[in-house]
Amino acid sequence: MEKWGDKPYHSLDYENKKRFGEKVYKISLAGGTTCPNRDGTLGTRGCCFCSGSGSGDFAATKGSITEQIEEAGHHFTAYFQSFTATYAPVETLRAAWEEAMTHESVVTLAIATRPDCLGDNVLSLLADCCRKMPVTVELGLQTIHPDTIRYIRRGYPNSVYETAVKNLQNIGVNGIKLQLLHVLKGTDLALDYENKMFRTLTPDEYLDYIAEALSILPPDMVIHRVTGDGPKDLLIAPLWSANKRMVLNSLQKKMK
């Protein structure tokens, strides 16, 4: 229990405090990218669960990268979350990421993207960034089941995800984020939920899954997140997930 501070798992917060000597906050930045599931390459409606902001609901929407960072203060992870953050010409990506990394408040870089948007040129750029500061790349798996892949309009098979993970591990990125399904207003998933085509998990069900996952993951793997807190003005279900503190405290008790 004491090995990783006050949590029974190796959290990203613990890792950052060990590395930087203080808490590192995450700031969501809008890098101006779109997504192949929205620009017509694979589709125009996005994945069925994705909000109108491309899952970047907490990101700033105006100003340069520097201006977005300076609105916040503290030491930060510069988090390019909106849409597909590697889906742009590599020089456009380089300019945005380097602007973030050169700011004195930024100590780590996080990139949220799709595994089918990690070409050799992007991987090379990520390797360059890793030589300057710690970098994490978020890939959403969502499901391993082919029927669900088609239903959510993900647009790539599991083999593409597996290849992307191997390529990123060769660069040195390793960790996991555990996230529950959110139903958000304005999404196609919300319509299916209203039509009772599926249900969301109860708190006990979700905590059982998370506790089991944490028990079988390698103990040195950094756990970036064990829950999520969707925007309260958009969240339809599960409403209990908005109480992040309750979820974390309940997980702590369950794992004891």
Side-chain angles (χ1 to χ4, degrees):
M1 201 41 199
E2 306 304 323
K3 186 177 179 182
W4 301 296
D6 62 350
K7 293 186 176 67
Y9 54 88
H10 189 166
S11 69
L12 179 62
D13 183 59
Y14 173 84
E15 181 69 15
N16 281 337
K17 286 177 179 175
K18 183 177 73 171
R19 177 176 285 170
F20 301 108
E22 62 181 333
K23 185 174 182 63
V24 176
Y25 296 86
K26 183 176 279 189
I27 179 172
S28 293
L29 303 172
T33 54
T34 181
C35 174
N37 235 2
R38 290 180 181 266
D39 72 354
T41 302
L42 294 175
T44 58
R45 296 162 63 195
C47 295
C48 71
F49 54 82
C50 196
S51 66
S53 65
S55 296
D57 302 290
F58 296 108
T61 56
K62 293 185 188 177
S64 67
I65 299 299
T66 299
E67 288 169 338
Q68 293 178 56
I69 294 170
E70 289 182 346
E71 281 185 11
H74 301 293
H75 278 158
F76 284 109
T77 294
Y79 184 25
F80 289 87
Q81 180 185 24
S82 304
F83 298 101
T84 302
T86 63
Y87 191 59
V90 71
E91 290 310 315
T92 300
L93 301 177
R94 185 186 301 275
W97 299 354
E98 288 188 348
E99 182 179 351
M101 289 190 296
T102 56
H103 196 283
E104 62 182 4
S105 295
V106 172
V107 293
T108 74
L109 182 69
I111 308 294
T113 190
R114 294 166 55 96
D116 56 351
C117 293
L118 285 171
D120 290 343
N121 56 350
V122 175
L123 290 170
S124 178
L125 174 57
L126 287 168
D128 288 345
C129 293
C130 282
R131 287 188 275 271
K132 299 173 183 176
M133 66 172 50
V135 177
T136 57
V137 180
E138 292 185 1
L139 301 179
L141 177 61
Q142 290 95 34
T143 182
I144 62 169
H145 303 292
D147 288 346
T148 310
I149 290 172
R150 288 187 289 272
Y151 167 63
I152 65 175
R153 302 193 299 267
R154 195 179 72 179
Y156 57 84
N158 290 325
S159 59
V160 172
Y161 179 88
E162 292 162 2
T163 297
V165 169
K166 290 176 183 176
N167 289 336
L168 291 172
Q169 286 177 331
N170 289 336
I171 294 174
V173 180
N174 198 17
I176 191 167
K177 173 187 278 190
L178 302 170
Q179 169 95 13
L180 73 162
L181 175 68
H182 288 134
V183 181
L184 300 178
K185 294 177 183 177
T187 64
D188 289 348
L189 193 68
L191 297 176
D192 288 348
Y193 180 75
E194 290 167 7
N195 288 325
K196 303 188 184 307
M197 292 176 60
F198 67 96
R199 69 174 183 86
T200 56
L201 296 173
T202 67
D204 285 341
E205 287 173 329
Y206 183 69
L207 290 170
D208 284 343
Y209 284 132
I210 295 301
E212 182 177 1
L214 291 174
S215 73
I216 62 176
L217 287 169
D220 60 341
M221 179 172 281
V222 179
I223 310 300
H224 287 240
R225 179 181 288 176
V226 294
T227 186
D229 48 345
K232 290 181 176 61
D233 60 333
L234 297 180
L235 184 64
I236 295 174
L239 292 177
W240 57 261
S241 67
N243 190 346
K244 189 174 181 180
R245 178 53 52 195
M246 178 275 291
V247 177
L248 294 174
N249 289 342
S250 298
L251 177 63
Q252 190 96 333
K253 292 176 183 176
K254 179 177 284 290
M255 294 193 70
K256 280 183 180 179

